[in-house]
Amino acid sequence: MIKLHNIHKSYHVGKESLHVLKGIDLHIKEGELVSIMGSSGSGKSTLLNLVGLLDNYDEGTYHLDGNLMKNLTENQAAYYRNRFLGFVFQSFNLISFKNAQENVALPLYYQGVKREERNAIALEYLDKVGLKPWAEHMPNELSGGQKQRVAIARALASKPKLILADEPTGALDTTTSYEVMELLKEIHHEGMTVVIVTHEHDIAEMTQKVIHLTDGIIEKITEH
Amino acid sequence: MFNRDNWIEIWSTIKSNKLRSVLTAFGVFWGIFILIIMLGASKGFEDGLNENFEGIATNSAFMWSQSSSIPYKGYNAGRRWTINNYDIKSIKTLVPDLDLIAPRLQGSFNDSGENVVYGEMKGSYSVFGDYPEYFQIIPIDITSGRSLNQRDIDEERKVCVIGEDIVEEIFRGTDPIDEYIEVDNVYFKIVGVAHPKTQMNIGSNPKSTVYIPFTTLQKTYGYGNEVHFFCFTAKKDVMVEEVEEDIKAFLLKQHDLSPEDTKAIGGFNMQKEFIKLNGVYKGVSFLSWIVGLGTLLAGIIGVGNIMLIVIKERTKEIGIKRALGAQSKMIRNQILFESAILTVFAGFFGLFFSVAFLELVSMISDEATKDAFIHFVPEANLRMGLAALVILILGGIFAGLFPASRATSIKPIDALRDE
Ligand SMILES: Nc1ncnc2c1ncn2[C@@H]1O[C@H](COP(=O)(O)OP(=O)(O)OP(=O)(O)O)[C@@H](O)[C@H]1O
Ligand SMILES: [Mg+2]
């Protein structure tokens, strides 16, 4: 599903240049549940963002589902994000003036799905994450765990090939974290490829494969 | 692009950002409001001015004799002289660019009190002796009967045209035609009633004037062949000033006055006054355009400005939308549509309220300024308003253009990171 070869990425701040990813080689197969571990600043988010086509890389090659992702125009990137990828963020990133159902329906809007249909699909996914009764609620009326479940429903709604989650439990307490992880595992069981960035060991334990990132290089990969 | 979903999306963002939507809209509302008000007021001013000159031959002038100011040919300065019938006749033949000439005489100068009598009723009014040509230069409306004509002049008929106030006051509104009134002890038959066409008074207000054939008045008042003053027009495409010069030169020579004597002849040039007032109007109109367009421009810049702030405020939202697969075209169009809709909506309100406001003002001022020098009735120019609205819509889109390109030039990851 994901094939990275010798990926390099630097950030330029003023005249300074910060070499963050220093040659990443990685292969994530379809249907895998993978976590990326590493200390703060090791480049986990950077890696996930360029896998998520939110940012570009300087060197190397990246194949997503067999397609080379290089020098994409912004619109091409938007297309792949919309069709191939589902995002779950640490800070949920729901749109504050849209209710739960509308938030979930948003990626379908960008796919050109008709209104009635996308609302029905949105409701279906809210049901899947156990939030059907909250469909009409605004984000600020939901708890952190509920928000993250709405975000997961939104990531799933567009039927992506891959879910990318950057510290999905980072803002949640332990119980809620485990609930969210259960949900992600369930999705994985249904055949979805899931990549989770975390720095919590117990969360990483729940995945099949842990990629340890240290200072921009993959130190080791452990399998459970 | 124009499907229901897009409208709902746009409407929901407008609704969810109420304060800035209202602020944006207000700038535009105010811009168009002021523009329409200014243009309406200046139009009212223009109409008022034109009304004053309505029907008046603007290429006309008046002239009368005054005392000489330079000793000449043995005469002392300060000599009084008078214009006479012979002068008028000579001017007619000697000045080729002259079109019309109408000598005038005023009845009695001493405010002798009640000089007009009808049975028991009395009143004091101006009395003028006129040629029909005069009414071609300074027109009056004849509301009943007829005006003075050449036969009245030729036959020195004892007929008169009276102003409507005289009918009101002496005849109490009853039909005065063919009645006889006594004017300075001479009986005249009333043949017509006059209503002034303009607020301009030459010598007297037509409403309270008795017009008598020139020749009749000259005889009955014992004026000999004297002329008090005369008015005249220039032929088409000739400045009346040129004719004025020719006539002056003739009169100075004819009456043994120094060619340098500028005080011996008094005058009033309608064309000059008209041009002067026209200049005032042009200034007012220009000013109102400047101010109106300036305000409008400020409104449009305001929209752009607020949109820019909005984009900054909503960077994260835009980042999320792009992460979810929104094409930059969609983001850009949405912003453009938002600003266009806001401007159209606000502009429409501005148009509506300014027109309503002008209607209200004109309703009041129509009555209030009826007899004032300028009859001020502001009038909304709808064509101009719509033109302004089109400018506004284009402006609104233009105002959205810069923020929109800003919004889509930010990398999605940076937009997401924005707090
Ligand atoms: N936009 C940016 N501009 C400049 N430097 C950046 C930028 N984003 C990240 N960095 C730097 O790159 C390095 C890696 O950042 P990254 O966010 O990938 O770390 P991380 O492993 O996700 O850390 P954390 O666990 O704290 O989230 C850090 O040193 C960070 O300061
Ligand atoms: Mg991170």
Side-chain angles (χ1 to χ4, degrees), chain B residues 385-406:
Chain B
L386 288 178
L389 202 58
V390 170
I391 295 174
L392 209 63
I393 294 168
L394 293 179
I397 291 172
F398 187 73
L401 220 54
F402 182 59
S405 73
R406 254 289 272 277

Side-chain angles (χ1 to χ4, degrees), chain B residues 182-312:
Chain B
E182 211 181 321
V183 179
D184 287 318
N185 307 316
V186 179
Y187 280 93
F188 289 88
K189 186 176 160 189
I190 298 166
V191 294
V193 175
H195 167 80
K197 243 196 163 110
T198 79
Q199 297 300 331
M200 287 248 277
N201 295 337
I202 311 293
S204 70
N205 186 345
K207 280 182 181 177
S208 53
T209 300
V210 179
Y211 294 98
I212 293 170
F214 179 88
T215 46
T216 316
L217 193 144
Q218 202 169 40
K219 189 162 256 171
T220 54
Y221 281 78
Y223 281 134
N225 62 3
E226 195 181 323
V227 171
H228 287 153
F229 67 108
F230 63 93
C231 61
F232 56 93
T233 60
K235 284 212 171 104
K236 209 168 164 287
D237 299 329
V238 179
M239 295 289 284
V240 74
E241 205 175 342
E242 293 170 29
V243 176
E244 211 178 4
E245 291 307 314
D246 289 350
I247 295 177
K248 269 184 184 165
F250 166 78
L251 286 175
L252 291 172
K253 189 157 185 274
Q254 185 70 17
H255 291 270
D256 292 329
L257 294 155
S258 158
E260 264 83 59
D261 199 338
T262 51
K263 296 226 174 83
I265 301 173
F268 174 86
N269 184 330
M270 193 78 83
Q271 198 164 36
K272 271 188 188 158
E273 296 306 307
F274 186 72
I275 288 167
K276 226 186 278 172
L277 276 174
N278 227 16
V280 172
Y281 162 67
K282 286 234 169 71
V284 168
S285 156
F286 181 71
L287 208 71
S288 55
W289 268 106
I290 293 284
V291 173
L293 283 180
T295 317
L296 194 63
L297 191 68
I300 291 170
I301 291 172
V303 176
N305 234 331
I306 293 177
M307 287 313 277
L308 211 57
I309 296 169
V310 167
I311 300 309
K312 256 192 113 59

Side-chain angles (χ1 to χ4, degrees), chain A residues 19-31:
Chain A
H19 199 176
V20 179
L21 298 181
K22 303 165 180 168
I24 302 283
D25 287 292
L26 183 61
H27 187 189
I28 295 172
K29 289 191 273 299
E30 191 170 348

